């Protein structure tokens, strides 16, 4: 971020990434391909994007399957989050 951005650690940057598994709707597997990923670091941009775009990237799906960390299904995520929320409330967990 210091090297490529103009706002230090608050710089949003674009980095290359590789997608290794791509399966078409008909089950055909495709070769790995390069994508551009945006890393948001500016606090105002992070807050705005988090409010407007809640769907997660698919890059966590292979290692974590459909867990709360990796699900791209917003309804599933909301359900999982409601199940886990009590565990993260300090007073309720004592």
């Amino acid at each position: 971020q210091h090297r490529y951005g103009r706002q230090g650690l608050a710089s949003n940057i674009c980095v290359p990434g590789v997608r290794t598994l791509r399966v078409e709707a008909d089950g055909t597997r495709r070769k790995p391909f390069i994508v551009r990923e945006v890393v948001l670091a500016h606090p105002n941009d992070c807050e705005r994007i988090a409010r407007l775009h809640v769907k997660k990237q698919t890059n966590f799906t292979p290692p974590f399957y459909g867990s709360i960390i990796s699900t791209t299904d917003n309804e599933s995520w909301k359900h999982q989050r409601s199940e886990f929320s009590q565990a993260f409330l300090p007073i309720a967990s004592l």
Side-chain angles (χ1 to χ4, degrees), residues 25-79:
D26 64 0
T28 306
R29 291 178 173 259
R30 300 292 179 194
K31 293 180 181 180
F33 60 101
I34 297 174
V35 295
R36 285 178 248 143
E37 296 178 348
V38 176
V39 178
L40 292 179
H42 192 280
N44 295 342
D45 292 336
C46 291
E47 185 177 346
R48 179 176 51 86
I49 295 297
R51 265 199 211 109
L52 299 174
H53 304 280
V54 295
K55 195 150 186 167
K56 295 180 180 182
Q57 280 186 255
T58 59
N59 58 326
F60 290 120
T61 302
F64 297 109
Y65 303 104
S67 71
I68 194 168
I69 295 171
S70 66
T71 185
T72 56
D73 178 352
N74 289 341
E75 291 306 313
S76 174
W77 176 81
K78 286 178 187 176
H79 175 73

